[in-house]
């Protein structure tokens, strides 16, 4: 079983996509356009959705580093 964190983001400006971001514990990422049911590459993100992705990715990496530091010692 692979742990993942799911986040939903609805863009406020065109193209008004409804996106689901899945951040997996092993570092993988999946972005799905919920209306079309197709994957979206990070390079296709713009504006608010790109900002959301970057902030969540940084947070995910920080939390992973903290967990590893706690587990293995500093």
């Amino acid at each position: 079983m692979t742990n993942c964190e799911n986040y939903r983001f609805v863009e406020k400006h065109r193209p008004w996509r409804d996106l689901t971001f899945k951040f997996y514990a092993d570092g993988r990422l999946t972005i799905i356009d919920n209306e079309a049911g197709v994957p979206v590459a990070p390079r296709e993100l713009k504006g608010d959705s790109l900002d959301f992705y970057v902030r969540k990715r940084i947070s995910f990496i920080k939390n992973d580093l903290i967990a590893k530091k706690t587990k293995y010692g500093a």
Side-chain angles (χ1 to χ4, degrees), residues 33-57:
D33 182 331
N34 293 321
E35 288 185 19
V38 296
V40 176
R43 67 179 170 266
E44 296 175 43
L45 301 175
K46 295 179 183 171
D48 291 338
S49 59
L50 178 60
D51 184 59
F52 177 83
Y53 161 71
V54 169
R55 289 178 187 275
K56 289 296 181 186
R57 187 68 162 182

Side-chain angles (χ1 to χ4, degrees), residues 7-21 31-53:
Y7 299 97
R8 183 175 177 199
F9 183 82
V10 179
E11 294 179 333
K12 297 174 184 162
H13 303 285
R14 287 186 181 184
W16 298 298
R17 292 182 295 186
D18 179 3
L19 303 170
T20 296
F21 293 80
I31 306 170
I32 303 292
D33 182 331
N34 293 321
E35 288 185 19
V38 296
V40 176
R43 67 179 170 266
E44 296 175 43
L45 301 175
K46 295 179 183 171
D48 291 338
S49 59
L50 178 60
D51 184 59
F52 177 83
Y53 161 71

